[in-house]
Amino acid sequence: SNAPAAAAAAAAPAATPNVPWVATGDSVDAEYKAARETAAHVAVQRNRMFELATQAYQRGDKKAARDLSAQGRRFQAEMEQLHAAAAHEIFQSRNSSGRIDVLDLH
């Protein structure tokens, strides 16, 4: 029987005329990576500060641990801001057609 194919066709969304095509695949991957590259570098710095804070705490240097942990939290806040800016940039880029009835959430 052709029931599975018929069910799939019935469940498919109706085609929307005049909807602009937005690139996918490698070009989008490159755009995402470029937009988030700085945040990724800051995340590495954050991780290093937390690692050093842990080592300082384990050797009993509580002041260094506190200072390094504070620096890690500053990197965390910076990373979050960079990711938010990247998300905004990507959203704007993916939805620049001017159409208010179409929204790309990829």
Side-chain angles (χ1 to χ4, degrees):
S1 168
N2 217 4
T16 305
N18 302 318
V19 173
W21 182 257
V22 182
T24 60
D26 291 340
S27 64
V28 173
D29 184 53
E31 179 184 359
Y32 286 8
K33 285 179 181 174
R36 297 190 182 275
E37 183 177 10
T38 304
H41 289 297
V42 172
V44 170
Q45 293 174 307
R46 174 209 54 197
N47 294 348
R48 183 67 180 143
M49 290 302 110
F50 287 145
E51 180 182 321
L52 291 172
T54 299
Q55 291 171 3
Y57 182 82
Q58 289 173 339
R59 71 174 178 269
D61 189 347
K62 305 241 188 307
K63 180 182 179 339
R66 185 175 48 252
D67 293 345
L68 290 163
S69 181
Q71 182 62 38
R73 288 190 302 279
R74 285 190 290 275
F75 280 128
Q76 174 72 26
E78 180 182 356
M79 183 196 70
E80 289 172 0
Q81 289 174 339
L82 289 166
H83 275 305
H88 179 76
E89 176 185 323
I90 291 165
F91 181 87
Q92 292 301 321
S93 170
R94 302 291 293 167
N95 294 285
S96 62
S97 71
R99 298 271 310 258
I100 61 169
D101 60 335
V102 177
L103 180 64
D104 184 338
L105 297 175
H106 291 95

Coordinates of all heavy atoms in Angstrom, one line a residue:
S1 N 0.8 -1.2 0.0 CA 0.0 0.0 0.0 C 0.9 1.2 0.0 O 2.0 1.2 0.5 CB -0.9 -0.1 1.2 OG -1.5 1.2 1.4
N2 N 0.3 2.3 -0.5 CA 1.1 3.6 -0.6 C 0.6 4.5 0.6 O 0.8 5.7 0.5 CB 0.8 4.2 -1.9 CG 2.0 4.9 -2.5 OD1 3.1 4.9 -1.9 ND2 1.8 5.6 -3.6
A3 N 0.1 3.9 1.6 CA -0.4 4.7 2.8 C 0.7 5.6 3.4 O 0.4 6.7 3.7 CB -1.1 3.8 3.8
P4 N 1.9 5.1 3.7 CA 2.9 5.9 4.3 C 3.3 7.1 3.5 O 3.4 8.2 4.0 CB 4.1 5.0 4.5 CG 3.5 3.6 4.5 CD 2.3 3.7 3.6
A5 N 3.4 7.0 2.2 CA 3.7 8.1 1.3 C 2.6 9.1 1.3 O 2.8 10.3 1.3 CB 4.0 7.6 -0.1
A6 N 1.3 8.6 1.3 CA 0.2 9.5 1.3 C 0.1 10.3 2.6 O -0.2 11.5 2.6 CB -1.1 8.7 1.1
A7 N 0.4 9.6 3.7 CA 0.4 10.3 5.0 C 1.5 11.3 5.1 O 1.2 12.4 5.6 CB 0.5 9.2 6.1
A8 N 2.6 11.0 4.6 CA 3.7 12.0 4.6 C 3.4 13.2 3.8 O 3.7 14.3 4.2 CB 5.0 11.3 4.1
A9 N 2.8 13.0 2.6 CA 2.4 14.1 1.8 C 1.4 15.0 2.4 O 1.4 16.2 2.3 CB 1.9 13.6 0.4
A10 N 0.4 14.3 3.1 CA -0.6 15.1 3.8 C -0.1 15.9 5.0 O -0.6 17.0 5.3 CB -1.7 14.1 4.3
A11 N 1.0 15.4 5.6 CA 1.5 16.1 6.8 C 2.5 17.2 6.4 O 2.8 18.0 7.2 CB 2.3 15.1 7.7
A12 N 3.0 17.2 5.1 CA 3.9 18.2 4.7 C 3.3 19.6 4.7 O 2.1 19.7 4.3 CB 4.5 17.8 3.3
P13 N 4.0 20.6 5.1 CA 3.5 21.9 5.1 C 3.2 22.4 3.6 O 3.9 22.0 2.7 CB 4.5 22.8 5.8 CG 5.8 22.0 5.6 CD 5.4 20.6 5.6
A14 N 2.2 23.2 3.5 CA 1.9 23.8 2.2 C 3.1 24.7 1.7 O 3.7 25.4 2.5 CB 0.6 24.5 2.2
A15 N 3.4 24.7 0.4 CA 4.4 25.5 -0.1 C 3.9 27.0 0.0 O 2.8 27.3 -0.2 CB 4.6 25.2 -1.6
T16 N 4.9 27.8 0.4 CA 4.6 29.3 0.6 C 5.2 30.0 -0.6 O 6.4 30.0 -0.8 CB 5.2 29.8 1.9 OG1 4.7 29.0 3.0 CG2 4.8 31.2 2.1
P17 N 4.4 30.6 -1.4 CA 4.9 31.3 -2.6 C 5.7 32.5 -2.2 O 5.5 33.2 -1.2 CB 3.7 31.7 -3.4 CG 2.6 31.8 -2.4 CD 2.9 30.8 -1.3
N18 N 6.7 32.8 -3.0 CA 7.5 34.0 -2.9 C 8.3 34.1 -1.6 O 8.5 35.2 -1.1 CB 6.7 35.3 -3.1 CG 6.0 35.3 -4.4 OD1 6.6 34.9 -5.4 ND2 4.7 35.6 -4.5
V19 N 8.6 33.0 -0.9 CA 9.4 33.1 0.3 C 10.9 33.0 -0.2 O 11.3 32.1 -0.9 CB 9.1 31.9 1.2 CG1 10.1 31.8 2.4 CG2 7.7 32.0 1.7
P20 N 11.7 34.0 0.3 CA 13.1 34.0 -0.2 C 13.9 32.8 0.4 O 13.6 32.4 1.6 CB 13.6 35.3 0.4 CG 12.7 35.7 1.5 CD 11.3 35.1 1.2
W21 N 14.7 32.3 -0.4 CA 15.6 31.2 0.0 C 16.8 31.7 0.8 O 17.4 32.7 0.4 CB 16.0 30.4 -1.2 CG 16.8 29.2 -0.8 CD1 18.2 29.1 -0.8 CD2 16.4 28.0 -0.2 NE1 18.6 27.8 -0.4 CE2 17.5 27.1 0.0 CE3 15.1 27.5 0.1 CZ2 17.3 25.9 0.6 CZ3 15.0 26.2 0.6 CH2 16.1 25.4 0.9
V22 N 17.1 31.1 1.9 CA 18.2 31.5 2.7 C 19.2 30.4 2.6 O 18.9 29.2 2.7 CB 17.8 31.8 4.2 CG1 19.0 32.3 5.0 CG2 16.7 32.8 4.2
A23 N 20.5 30.8 2.5 CA 21.6 29.8 2.3 C 21.6 28.9 3.6 O 21.3 29.3 4.7 CB 22.9 30.5 2.2
T24 N 22.1 27.7 3.3 CA 22.3 26.7 4.4 C 23.6 26.0 4.2 O 24.3 26.3 3.2 CB 21.1 25.6 4.4 OG1 21.1 25.0 3.1 CG2 19.8 26.3 4.7
G25 N 23.9 25.1 5.0 CA 25.1 24.2 4.8 C 26.4 25.0 5.2 O 26.5 25.7 6.2
D26 N 27.4 24.8 4.4 CA 28.8 25.2 4.8 C 28.8 26.8 4.9 O 29.5 27.3 5.8 CB 29.8 24.8 3.7 CG 30.0 23.3 3.7 OD1 29.7 22.7 4.8 OD2 30.5 22.8 2.7
S27 N 28.1 27.5 4.1 CA 28.2 29.0 4.2 C 27.6 29.5 5.5 O 28.1 30.4 6.1 CB 27.4 29.6 3.0 OG 26.1 29.3 3.0
V28 N 26.5 28.8 5.9 CA 25.9 29.2 7.2 C 26.8 28.8 8.4 O 27.0 29.5 9.3 CB 24.5 28.6 7.4 CG1 23.9 28.8 8.8 CG2 23.6 29.1 6.3
D29 N 27.4 27.6 8.3 CA 28.3 27.1 9.3 C 29.5 28.1 9.5 O 29.9 28.5 10.6 CB 28.8 25.7 8.9 CG 29.7 25.2 10.0 OD1 29.3 25.1 11.2 OD2 30.9 24.7 9.7
A30 N 30.0 28.6 8.3 CA 31.1 29.6 8.4 C 30.7 30.9 9.0 O 31.4 31.5 9.8 CB 31.7 29.8 7.0
E31 N 29.5 31.3 8.7 CA 28.9 32.6 9.3 C 28.8 32.4 10.8 O 29.2 33.3 11.5 CB 27.6 32.9 8.6 CG 26.9 34.1 9.2 CD 25.5 34.4 8.6 OE1 25.1 33.6 7.8 OE2 24.9 35.4 9.0
Y32 N 28.2 31.3 11.2 CA 28.1 31.1 12.7 C 29.4 31.1 13.4 O 29.6 31.7 14.4 CB 27.3 29.8 12.9 CG 25.9 29.8 12.6 CD1 25.2 30.8 12.0 CD2 25.1 28.7 13.0 CE1 23.9 30.8 11.7 CE2 23.7 28.7 12.7 CZ 23.1 29.7 12.1 OH 21.8 29.7 11.8
K33 N 30.4 30.3 12.8 CA 31.7 30.2 13.4 C 32.4 31.6 13.5 O 33.0 31.9 14.5 CB 32.5 29.2 12.7 CG 32.1 27.8 13.0 CD 33.0 26.8 12.2 CE 32.5 25.4 12.5 NZ 33.2 24.4 11.7
A34 N 32.3 32.4 12.4 CA 32.9 33.7 12.4 C 32.3 34.6 13.5 O 33.0 35.3 14.2 CB 32.8 34.3 11.0
A35 N 31.0 34.6 13.6 CA 30.3 35.4 14.5 C 30.6 35.0 16.0 O 30.6 35.9 16.9 CB 28.8 35.4 14.3
R36 N 30.9 33.8 16.2 CA 31.1 33.3 17.6 C 32.5 33.1 18.0 O 32.9 32.7 19.1 CB 30.3 32.1 17.8 CG 28.8 32.4 17.7 CD 27.9 31.2 18.2 NE 26.5 31.5 18.0 CZ 25.8 32.1 18.9 NH1 26.3 32.6 20.0 NH2 24.5 32.3 18.7
E37 N 33.4 33.4 17.0 CA 34.9 33.1 17.2 C 35.4 33.8 18.5 O 36.1 33.2 19.3 CB 35.7 33.5 16.0 CG 37.1 33.1 16.1 CD 37.9 33.4 14.8 OE1 37.3 34.1 13.9 OE2 39.0 33.0 14.7
T38 N 35.2 35.1 18.6 CA 35.7 35.8 19.8 C 35.2 35.3 21.1 O 35.9 35.1 22.0 CB 35.4 37.3 19.6 OG1 35.9 37.8 18.4 CG2 36.0 38.1 20.7
A39 N 33.9 34.9 21.1 CA 33.3 34.4 22.3 C 34.0 33.0 22.7 O 34.2 32.8 23.8 CB 31.8 34.2 22.1
A40 N 34.3 32.3 21.7 CA 35.0 31.0 21.9 C 36.4 31.2 22.5 O 36.8 30.5 23.4 CB 35.1 30.2 20.6
H41 N 37.1 32.2 22.1 CA 38.4 32.5 22.6 C 38.3 33.0 24.1 O 39.1 32.6 24.9 CB 39.1 33.6 21.8 CG 39.6 33.0 20.5 ND1 40.5 32.0 20.3 CD2 39.2 33.4 19.2 CE1 40.7 31.8 19.0 NE2 39.9 32.6 18.3
V42 N 37.3 33.8 24.3 CA 37.0 34.2 25.7 C 36.7 33.1 26.6 O 37.1 33.0 27.8 CB 36.0 35.4 25.8 CG1 35.6 35.7 27.2 CG2 36.5 36.6 25.0
A43 N 35.9 32.1 26.1 CA 35.5 30.9 26.9 C 36.8 30.1 27.3 O 36.9 29.6 28.4 CB 34.6 30.0 26.1
V44 N 37.8 30.1 26.4 CA 39.0 29.4 26.7 C 39.7 30.1 27.9 O 40.2 29.5 28.8 CB 39.9 29.3 25.5 CG1 41.3 28.8 25.8 CG2 39.3 28.3 24.4
Q45 N 39.7 31.4 27.8 CA 40.4 32.2 28.9 C 39.6 32.0 30.2 O 40.2 31.9 31.3 CB 40.4 33.7 28.5 CG 41.3 34.0 27.4 CD 41.2 35.5 26.9 OE1 40.1 36.0 26.7 NE2 42.3 36.1 26.9
R46 N 38.3 32.0 30.1 CA 37.5 31.8 31.3 C 37.8 30.4 31.9 O 38.0 30.3 33.1 CB 36.0 31.8 30.9 CG 35.1 31.4 32.1 CD 33.8 30.7 31.7 NE 34.0 29.6 30.8 CZ 33.1 29.0 30.0 NH1 31.9 29.5 30.0 NH2 33.3 28.0 29.3
N47 N 37.9 29.4 31.1 CA 38.2 28.0 31.6 C 39.5 28.0 32.2 O 39.7 27.3 33.3 CB 38.1 27.0 30.4 CG 36.7 26.9 29.9 OD1 35.7 27.3 30.5 ND2 36.6 26.2 28.8
R48 N 40.5 28.7 31.7 CA 41.8 28.7 32.2 C 41.8 29.4 33.6 O 42.5 28.9 34.5 CB 42.8 29.4 31.3 CG 44.2 29.4 31.7 CD 44.8 28.0 31.7 NE 46.2 28.1 32.2 CZ 46.8 27.2 33.0 NH1 46.2 26.1 33.3 NH2 48.0 27.4 33.4
M49 N 41.1 30.5 33.7 CA 41.1 31.2 35.0 C 40.4 30.3 36.1 O 40.9 30.2 37.2 CB 40.3 32.5 34.9 CG 40.9 33.6 34.1 SD 42.6 34.0 34.8 CE 43.6 33.4 33.5
F50 N 39.4 29.6 35.7 CA 38.7 28.7 36.7 C 39.6 27.5 37.1 O 39.7 27.1 38.2 CB 37.4 28.2 36.2 CG 36.3 29.2 36.2 CD1 35.3 29.3 35.3 CD2 36.2 30.2 37.2 CE1 34.3 30.3 35.3 CE2 35.2 31.2 37.3 CZ 34.3 31.2 36.3
E51 N 40.4 27.0 36.1 CA 41.3 25.9 36.3 C 42.4 26.4 37.3 O 42.8 25.7 38.3 CB 41.9 25.5 35.0 CG 43.0 24.4 35.1 CD 43.6 24.0 33.8 OE1 42.8 24.0 32.8 OE2 44.8 23.8 33.8
L52 N 42.9 27.6 37.0 CA 44.0 28.2 37.9 C 43.4 28.5 39.3 O 44.1 28.3 40.3 CB 44.6 29.4 37.3 CG 45.4 29.2 36.1 CD1 45.8 30.6 35.4 CD2 46.7 28.4 36.4
A53 N 42.2 28.9 39.4 CA 41.5 29.2 40.7 C 41.4 27.9 41.5 O 41.7 27.9 42.7 CB 40.2 29.8 40.5
T54 N 41.0 26.8 40.8 CA 40.9 25.5 41.5 C 42.3 25.1 42.0 O 42.4 24.6 43.2 CB 40.4 24.4 40.5 OG1 39.1 24.9 40.1 CG2 40.3 23.1 41.2
Q55 N 43.3 25.2 41.2 CA 44.7 24.8 41.6 C 45.1 25.7 42.8 O 45.7 25.1 43.8 CB 45.7 25.0 40.5 CG 45.4 24.0 39.4 CD 46.3 24.3 38.1 OE1 47.1 25.2 38.1 NE2 46.1 23.5 37.1
A56 N 44.9 27.0 42.8 CA 45.2 27.8 43.9 C 44.5 27.4 45.2 O 45.1 27.4 46.2 CB 44.9 29.3 43.5
Y57 N 43.2 27.1 45.1 CA 42.4 26.7 46.2 C 43.0 25.4 46.8 O 43.2 25.3 48.0 CB 41.0 26.5 45.8 CG 40.1 26.1 47.0 CD1 39.6 27.1 47.9 CD2 39.8 24.8 47.2 CE1 38.8 26.7 48.9 CE2 39.0 24.4 48.3 CZ 38.5 25.4 49.1 OH 37.7 25.0 50.2
Q58 N 43.3 24.5 45.9 CA 43.8 23.2 46.4 C 45.2 23.3 47.1 O 45.5 22.5 47.9 CB 43.9 22.2 45.2 CG 42.6 21.7 44.7 CD 42.6 20.9 43.4 OE1 43.6 20.9 42.7 NE2 41.6 20.2 43.2
R59 N 46.0 24.3 46.7 CA 47.3 24.4 47.4 C 47.2 25.4 48.6 O 48.1 25.7 49.2 CB 48.3 24.9 46.4 CG 48.3 26.3 45.9 CD 49.5 26.7 45.0 NE 49.3 28.0 44.5 CZ 48.7 28.3 43.4 NH1 48.3 27.4 42.6 NH2 48.6 29.6 43.1
G60 N 45.9 25.9 48.9 CA 45.7 26.6 50.1 C 45.8 28.1 49.9 O 45.7 28.9 50.8
D61 N 46.0 28.6 48.7 CA 46.1 30.0 48.4 C 44.7 30.6 48.1 O 44.3 30.8 46.9 CB 47.1 30.3 47.2 CG 47.4 31.7 47.0 OD1 46.8 32.6 47.6 OD2 48.4 32.0 46.2
K62 N 44.0 30.9 49.1 CA 42.6 31.3 49.0 C 42.4 32.7 48.3 O 41.5 32.9 47.5 CB 41.9 31.3 50.3 CG 42.0 30.0 51.1 CD 40.7 29.4 51.3 CE 40.7 28.2 52.2 NZ 41.5 27.1 51.9
K63 N 43.4 33.6 48.6 CA 43.3 34.9 47.9 C 43.5 34.8 46.4 O 42.7 35.4 45.6 CB 44.3 35.9 48.5 CG 44.2 37.2 47.8 CD 45.3 38.2 48.3 CE 45.3 39.6 47.7 NZ 44.6 39.7 46.4
A64 N 44.5 34.0 46.0 CA 44.7 33.8 44.6 C 43.5 33.1 43.9 O 43.0 33.5 42.8 CB 45.9 33.0 44.3
A65 N 42.9 32.2 44.7 CA 41.8 31.4 44.2 C 40.6 32.4 44.0 O 39.9 32.3 42.9 CB 41.4 30.3 45.1
R66 N 40.4 33.3 44.9 CA 39.3 34.2 44.9 C 39.5 35.2 43.7 O 38.6 35.5 42.9 CB 39.2 35.0 46.2 CG 38.0 35.9 46.3 CD 37.8 36.6 47.6 NE 39.1 37.1 48.2 CZ 39.8 36.6 49.2 NH1 39.3 35.5 49.8 NH2 40.9 37.2 49.6
D67 N 40.7 35.7 43.5 CA 41.0 36.6 42.5 C 40.9 36.0 41.1 O 40.3 36.6 40.2 CB 42.4 37.2 42.6 CG 42.6 38.1 43.9 OD1 41.5 38.5 44.4 OD2 43.7 38.4 44.2
L68 N 41.4 34.8 40.9 CA 41.3 34.1 39.7 C 39.8 33.7 39.3 O 39.4 33.8 38.2 CB 42.2 32.8 39.7 CG 43.7 33.1 39.7 CD1 44.4 31.8 40.2 CD2 44.1 33.5 38.3
S69 N 39.1 33.3 40.3 CA 37.7 33.0 40.1 C 36.9 34.3 39.7 O 36.1 34.2 38.8 CB 37.1 32.4 41.4 OG 35.7 32.1 41.2
A70 N 37.2 35.4 40.3 CA 36.6 36.7 39.9 C 36.9 37.0 38.4 O 36.1 37.4 37.7 CB 37.0 37.8 40.8
Q71 N 38.2 36.7 38.0 CA 38.6 37.0 36.6 C 37.8 36.0 35.7 O 37.3 36.4 34.7 CB 40.1 36.8 36.5 CG 40.6 37.1 35.1 CD 40.3 38.5 34.6 OE1 40.4 39.4 35.4 NE2 40.0 38.7 33.4
G72 N 37.6 34.8 36.2 CA 36.9 33.8 35.4 C 35.4 34.3 35.2 O 34.8 34.1 34.1
R73 N 34.8 34.8 36.2 CA 33.5 35.3 36.1 C 33.4 36.5 35.2 O 32.4 36.7 34.5 CB 32.9 35.6 37.5 CG 32.6 34.4 38.4 CD 31.8 34.7 39.6 NE 32.5 35.6 40.5 CZ 33.5 35.3 41.4 NH1 33.9 34.1 41.5 NH2 34.0 36.2 42.1
R74 N 34.4 37.4 35.2 CA 34.4 38.5 34.2 C 34.5 38.0 32.8 O 33.8 38.5 31.9 CB 35.6 39.5 34.5 CG 35.3 40.3 35.8 CD 36.4 41.4 35.9 NE 37.7 41.0 36.3 CZ 38.1 40.7 37.6 NH1 37.2 40.9 38.6 NH2 39.3 40.3 37.8
F75 N 35.3 37.0 32.6 CA 35.4 36.4 31.2 C 34.0 35.7 30.9 O 33.6 35.8 29.7 CB 36.5 35.3 31.1 CG 37.9 35.9 30.9 CD1 38.9 35.5 31.8 CD2 38.1 36.8 29.9 CE1 40.2 36.1 31.6 CE2 39.4 37.3 29.7 CZ 40.4 37.0 30.5
Q76 N 33.4 35.1 31.9 CA 32.1 34.5 31.6 C 31.0 35.6 31.2 O 30.3 35.4 30.2 CB 31.5 33.8 32.9 CG 30.1 33.3 32.8 CD 30.0 32.1 32.0 OE1 31.0 31.3 31.8 NE2 28.8 31.8 31.4
A77 N 31.0 36.7 31.9 CA 30.1 37.8 31.5 C 30.4 38.3 30.1 O 29.5 38.6 29.3 CB 30.2 38.9 32.5
E78 N 31.7 38.5 29.8 CA 32.1 39.0 28.5 C 31.7 38.0 27.4 O 31.2 38.3 26.3 CB 33.6 39.2 28.4 CG 34.1 39.7 27.1 CD 35.6 39.9 27.0 OE1 36.3 39.7 28.1 OE2 36.1 40.2 25.9
M79 N 31.9 36.7 27.7 CA 31.5 35.6 26.7 C 30.0 35.7 26.5 O 29.6 35.6 25.3 CB 31.9 34.3 27.2 CG 31.6 33.1 26.3 SD 31.7 31.5 27.1 CE 30.2 31.6 28.1
E80 N 29.2 35.8 27.5 CA 27.8 35.9 27.4 C 27.3 37.1 26.5 O 26.5 36.9 25.6 CB 27.1 35.9 28.7 CG 27.2 34.6 29.4 CD 26.7 34.6 30.9 OE1 26.2 35.7 31.4 OE2 26.7 33.5 31.5
Q81 N 28.0 38.2 26.7 CA 27.7 39.4 25.9 C 28.1 39.2 24.4 O 27.3 39.5 23.5 CB 28.4 40.6 26.5 CG 27.9 41.1 27.8 CD 28.7 42.2 28.4 OE1 29.9 42.4 28.0 NE2 28.1 43.0 29.3
L82 N 29.2 38.5 24.2 CA 29.6 38.3 22.8 C 28.7 37.3 22.1 O 28.4 37.5 21.0 CB 31.1 37.8 22.8 CG 32.1 38.8 23.2 CD1 33.5 38.1 23.5 CD2 32.3 39.8 22.1
H83 N 28.3 36.3 22.9 CA 27.3 35.3 22.3 C 26.0 36.0 22.0 O 25.4 35.7 20.9 CB 27.1 34.1 23.2 CG 28.1 33.0 23.0 ND1 28.4 32.5 21.8 CD2 28.9 32.4 23.9 CE1 29.3 31.5 22.0 NE2 29.7 31.5 23.3
A84 N 25.5 36.9 22.8 CA 24.3 37.6 22.6 C 24.4 38.5 21.3 O 23.5 38.5 20.5 CB 23.9 38.4 23.8
A85 N 25.5 39.2 21.2 CA 25.8 40.0 20.0 C 25.8 39.2 18.8 O 25.3 39.5 17.7 CB 27.0 40.8 20.2
A86 N 26.5 38.0 18.9 CA 26.6 37.1 17.7 C 25.2 36.6 17.3 O 24.9 36.5 16.1 CB 27.5 35.9 18.0
A87 N 24.4 36.2 18.3 CA 23.1 35.7 18.0 C 22.2 36.8 17.3 O 21.5 36.5 16.3 CB 22.4 35.3 19.3
H88 N 22.4 38.0 17.8 CA 21.6 39.1 17.2 C 22.1 39.3 15.7 O 21.3 39.5 14.8 CB 21.8 40.4 18.0 CG 21.1 41.6 17.4 ND1 19.8 41.8 17.5 CD2 21.6 42.7 16.7 CE1 19.5 42.9 16.8 NE2 20.6 43.5 16.4
E89 N 23.4 39.3 15.5 CA 24.0 39.5 14.2 C 23.5 38.4 13.2 O 23.2 38.7 12.1 CB 25.5 39.5 14.3 CG 26.3 39.5 13.0 CD 27.8 39.4 13.2 OE1 28.3 39.9 14.2 OE2 28.4 38.8 12.3
I90 N 23.6 37.1 13.7 CA 23.1 36.0 12.9 C 21.7 36.1 12.6 O 21.2 35.9 11.4 CB 23.5 34.7 13.6 CG1 25.0 34.5 13.6 CG2 22.8 33.5 12.9 CD1 25.4 33.4 14.6
F91 N 20.9 36.5 13.6 CA 19.4 36.6 13.3 C 19.1 37.7 12.3 O 18.4 37.5 11.4 CB 18.7 37.0 14.7 CG 17.2 37.1 14.5 CD1 16.4 36.0 14.6 CD2 16.7 38.3 14.2 CE1 15.0 36.1 14.4 CE2 15.3 38.5 14.1 CZ 14.5 37.4 14.2
Q92 N 19.8 38.8 12.4 CA 19.6 39.9 11.5 C 20.0 39.5 10.1 O 19.3 39.8 9.1 CB 20.4 41.2 11.9 CG 19.9 41.8 13.1 CD 18.4 42.3 13.0 OE1 18.0 42.8 12.0 NE2 17.7 42.1 14.1
S93 N 21.1 38.8 10.0 CA 21.6 38.3 8.7 C 20.7 37.3 8.0 O 20.4 37.4 6.8 CB 23.0 37.7 8.8 OG 23.4 37.0 7.7
R94 N 20.1 36.4 8.8 CA 19.3 35.4 8.3 C 17.8 35.9 8.0 O 17.1 35.2 7.3 CB 19.1 34.2 9.3 CG 20.4 33.6 9.7 CD 21.1 32.8 8.6 NE 20.2 31.6 8.3 CZ 20.4 30.9 7.2 NH1 21.3 31.2 6.3 NH2 19.6 29.9 7.0
N95 N 17.5 37.0 8.5 CA 16.1 37.6 8.3 C 16.2 39.0 7.8 O 15.4 39.9 8.1 CB 15.4 37.6 9.7 CG 15.2 36.2 10.2 OD1 14.3 35.5 9.7 ND2 16.0 35.7 11.1
S96 N 17.0 39.2 6.8 CA 17.2 40.5 6.2 C 16.3 40.8 5.0 O 16.5 41.8 4.3 CB 18.7 40.7 5.8 OG 19.1 39.8 4.9
S97 N 15.4 39.9 4.7 CA 14.6 40.0 3.5 C 13.6 41.2 3.6 O 13.0 41.6 2.6 CB 13.9 38.7 3.2 OG 12.8 38.5 4.1
G98 N 13.3 41.6 4.9 CA 12.3 42.6 5.1 C 10.9 42.1 5.2 O 9.9 42.8 5.5
R99 N 10.8 40.8 5.0 CA 9.4 40.2 5.1 C 9.0 40.0 6.6 O 9.8 39.5 7.3 CB 9.5 38.8 4.4 CG 9.8 38.7 3.0 CD 8.5 38.9 2.1 NE 7.5 38.0 2.4 CZ 7.2 36.9 1.8 NH1 7.9 36.5 0.7 NH2 6.1 36.1 2.1
I100 N 7.9 40.4 6.9 CA 7.4 40.3 8.3 C 6.6 39.0 8.5 O 6.4 38.6 9.6 CB 6.6 41.5 8.8 CG1 5.3 41.6 7.9 CG2 7.4 42.8 8.7 CD1 4.3 42.6 8.5
D101 N 6.3 38.3 7.4 CA 5.6 37.0 7.5 C 6.5 35.8 7.4 O 6.0 34.7 7.4 CB 4.5 37.0 6.5 CG 5.0 37.1 5.1 OD1 6.1 37.6 4.9 OD2 4.4 36.6 4.1
V102 N 7.8 36.0 7.4 CA 8.7 34.9 7.3 C 9.8 35.1 8.3 O 10.4 36.2 8.4 CB 9.4 34.9 5.9 CG1 10.4 33.7 5.8 CG2 8.3 34.7 4.8
L103 N 10.1 34.1 9.1 CA 11.1 34.2 10.1 C 12.0 32.9 10.1 O 11.5 31.8 10.3 CB 10.5 34.3 11.5 CG 11.4 34.4 12.7 CD1 12.2 35.7 12.6 CD2 10.5 34.4 14.0
D104 N 13.3 33.1 9.9 CA 14.2 32.0 9.9 C 14.8 31.8 11.3 O 15.5 32.7 11.7 CB 15.3 32.2 8.8 CG 16.3 31.1 8.7 OD1 16.4 30.3 9.6 OD2 16.9 30.9 7.7
L105 N 14.6 30.7 11.9 CA 15.1 30.5 13.2 C 16.3 29.6 13.3 O 16.7 29.1 14.4 CB 13.9 29.9 14.1 CG 12.7 30.8 14.3 CD1 11.6 30.0 15.0 CD2 13.1 32.0 15.0
H106 N 16.9 29.3 12.2 CA 18.0 28.4 12.1 C 19.2 29.0 12.8 O 19.5 30.1 12.7 CB 18.3 28.0 10.7 CG 17.3 27.1 10.2 ND1 16.3 27.5 9.4 CD2 17.1 25.8 10.3 CE1 15.5 26.5 9.1 NE2 16.0 25.4 9.6

